[in-house]
Amino acid sequence: MKGVFITIEGVEGCGKTTQLRHLSRHLAERGHPVETTREPGGTPIAEAVRVLLLDPAHTAMTPTTELLLYEAARAQHVSERIRPALEGGRVVLCDRFVDSTTAYQGGGRGMAWETLNELHAIATQGLWPHLTILLDVSVEEGLQRVQGGRPRDRIEEESLAFHERVRQAFLRIASQEPERVRVVEGHLPVESVRERVTTLVEEFLRSHEF
Ligand code: T5A
């Protein structure tokens, strides 16, 4: 595979989308072929699954249905968009990926991590991010940032305790895979976060001669 696969993760409102926008522009200005995408979503089929997943009216959705829908959207996204972009030598920047499932469905919903890893392997056909940036902010700060701007989606409606378990699961993933998952303090001003994220990604691309 010729390209580089970079994901960005964190709790609600941690600033992923803001940072991904900056990073995408920055890398494109430096001549890198960049593909920016998100999960759940990134293709017409996966975006349709996203609507099902996030609709606040779907309160009856079971944890198993939720898990399988996230993985189904991912299977489509990986084979239709991410893998072809990587084979074409692009830098793929993805807003959330498998770590979100481990954190939300594993940490948040309490599903077994071994089961999740088996499903990740099926959905991704073994594709794993080369680098993951985890923007770590407190749950209170993240939720405060997303409040007011738009109606809350089904997952944002979950309790503070749920979101705290999600944050702790992300930090556990980072401690288990420190080489791949780099933690950046997301409570800092946007500019400071941007500098740290850019430096990490540039160092990574240089060290991989990309
Ligand atoms: N999910 C997802 C699962 O449960 N399992 C899975 O497998 C996957 C893939 C997806 C939802 O699905 C769940 C997780 C989610 O609940 P999403 O659209 O990715 O939905 O969800 P959000 O995390 O809610 O995305 P948001 O766009 O709301 O948040 P971001 O991207 O983290 O934050 P951003 O950049 O939009 O910023 C939010 C606000 O904060 C400000 C911004 O200007 C904006 O107003 N901001 C800052 N303010 C102060 N300081 C900073 N450093 C700031 N950075 C940004």
Side-chain angles (χ1 to χ4, degrees), residues 10-19 38-40 50 54 66 70 74 95-97 100-101 104-105 141 145-146 150 153 155-156 186-190 193:
V11 297
E12 314 292 315
C14 64
K16 299 173 284 87
T17 312
T18 305
Q19 293 303 327
R38 69 169 179 183
E39 288 212 343
R50 178 187 177 95
L54 298 185
E66 178 182 279
Y70 277 114
R74 178 163 302 130
D95 190 333
R96 299 195 181 281
F97 195 60
S100 278
T101 311
Y104 282 82
Q105 282 63 54
E141 180 165 353
R145 286 183 190 170
V146 295
R150 53 171 171 71
D153 65 38
I155 305 281
E156 284 164 356
H187 65 270
L188 299 172
V190 172
V193 179

Side-chain angles (χ1 to χ4, degrees), residues 18 64 77 119 135 142 149 163 169 176 180 189 192:
T18 305
T64 305
H77 188 207
L119 287 174
L135 295 184
H163 290 290
Q176 286 176 343
R180 173 177 70 88
S192 311

Side-chain angles (χ1 to χ4, degrees), residues 173-205:
I173 297 167
S175 71
Q176 286 176 343
E177 289 185 75
E179 276 302 306
R180 173 177 70 88
V181 184
R182 312 301 296 271
V183 183
V184 171
E185 290 174 73
H187 65 270
L188 299 172
V190 172
E191 266 309 306
S192 311
V193 179
R194 178 182 174 170
E195 264 174 41
R196 282 162 204 229
V197 170
T198 310
T199 305
L200 272 173
V201 170
E202 281 182 340
E203 276 173 9
F204 180 86
L205 293 177

Side-chain angles (χ1 to χ4, degrees), residues 31-206:
H32 291 293
V34 183
E35 179 99 6
T36 304
T37 186
R38 69 169 179 183
E39 288 212 343
T43 72
I45 292 171
E47 289 289 336
V49 177
R50 178 187 177 95
V51 174
L52 279 178
L53 277 163
L54 298 185
D55 188 337
H58 293 167
T59 50
M61 189 179 289
T62 72
T64 305
T65 306
E66 178 182 279
L67 168 64
L68 294 175
L69 285 175
Y70 277 114
E71 297 288 10
R74 178 163 302 130
Q76 187 66 32
H77 188 207
V78 167
S79 71
E80 187 180 338
R81 181 135 182 228
I82 299 179
R83 206 174 269 284
L86 292 172
E87 280 163 2
R90 302 177 78 79
V91 179
V92 176
L93 303 176
C94 189
D95 190 333
R96 299 195 181 281
F97 195 60
V98 286
D99 298 317
S100 278
T101 311
T102 306
Y104 282 82
Q105 282 63 54
R109 301 266 186 245
M111 304 187 90
W113 286 35
E114 304 74 49
T115 310
L116 300 180
N117 284 333
E118 283 168 23
L119 287 174
H120 296 340
I122 293 169
T124 67
Q125 298 157 333
L127 178 71
W128 215 245
H130 298 113
L131 173 70
T132 297
I133 308 282
L134 172 58
L135 295 184
D136 183 46
V137 292
S138 73
V139 164
E140 289 81 0
E141 180 165 353
L143 287 174
Q144 212 167 25
R145 286 183 190 170
V146 295
Q147 250 166 11
R150 53 171 171 71
R152 286 190 172 202
D153 65 38
R154 196 177 57 84
I155 305 281
E156 284 164 356
E157 291 281 2
E158 288 292 338
S159 66
L160 272 185
F162 172 93
H163 290 290
E164 189 54 45
R165 290 196 299 277
V166 171
R167 182 185 183 199
Q168 294 310 321
F170 274 128
L171 291 171
R172 183 174 152 200
I173 297 167
S175 71
Q176 286 176 343
E177 289 185 75
E179 276 302 306
R180 173 177 70 88
V181 184
R182 312 301 296 271
V183 183
V184 171
E185 290 174 73
H187 65 270
L188 299 172
V190 172
E191 266 309 306
S192 311
V193 179
R194 178 182 174 170
E195 264 174 41
R196 282 162 204 229
V197 170
T198 310
T199 305
L200 272 173
V201 170
E202 281 182 340
E203 276 173 9
F204 180 86
L205 293 177
R206 252 197 316 276

